[in-house]
Amino acid sequence: MPRKKSRTLTDAEHRIMEVLWEKRSATVAEVADVLAGENGSAYTTILTMMRILRAKGYLSCRKEGRAHVFTPKVDRETAARKAVGQVLTKFFSGSPSELVLSFLREEELSEEELDGLKRKIRESEEPENEY
């Protein structure tokens, strides 16, 4: 049975998106140049992954001369929300509180970080001012 296509980013796709979020737009060759030092991915591999990202709706493409220039259609924050949503669904039955509790059990947070979290929780409980 064929594997279900994921709408979220793989690690390799995420590395490509990081380059594009930084540059705002780039050709395959430009992305390959940046990633060459990291993992040595071949141009054709990066081209294939960028085509997949386009099919997933993460990138748009326009032709400039002979080159194809890719631009992110999804910003980093939206991609992060999608990934967190997938983790919530997959591992925590859709429960944000279970995710937070799991994180708090596993991580050593400083008093400053805990105070910051408490402040954000209080702020989220306050009704928004309507004028």
Side-chain angles (χ1 to χ4, degrees), residues 24-122:
R24 295 201 171 106
S25 65
T27 64
V28 176
E30 291 169 332
V31 173
D33 285 345
V34 172
L35 295 178
E38 291 182 20
N39 62 5
S41 292
Y43 176 93
T44 54
T45 302
I46 292 172
L47 172 61
T48 299
M49 291 192 316
M50 289 175 76
R51 285 178 175 160
I52 290 168
L53 285 165
R54 185 176 178 200
K56 285 182 172 184
Y58 282 89
L59 298 178
S60 64
C61 182
R62 70 181 185 281
K63 192 159 171 90
E64 284 187 11
R66 294 183 62 216
H68 289 86
V69 178
F70 290 83
T71 304
K73 286 176 69 175
V74 175
D75 63 23
R76 185 182 278 115
E77 185 177 320
T78 302
R81 277 196 311 271
K82 275 184 170 183
V84 169
Q86 183 184 29
V87 168
L88 276 175
T89 301
K90 194 180 233 180
F91 297 103
F92 299 99
S93 302
S95 171
S97 62
E98 286 301 316
L99 170 66
V100 171
L101 289 172
S102 173
F103 179 76
L104 291 174
R105 281 186 223 111
E106 297 297 322
E107 298 297 321
E108 296 278 335
L109 297 178
S110 69
E111 284 295 320
E112 188 176 281
E113 290 171 315
L114 282 171
D115 289 343
L117 286 172
K118 290 174 188 174
R119 186 175 59 254
K120 287 186 185 291
I121 290 169
R122 282 193 302 274

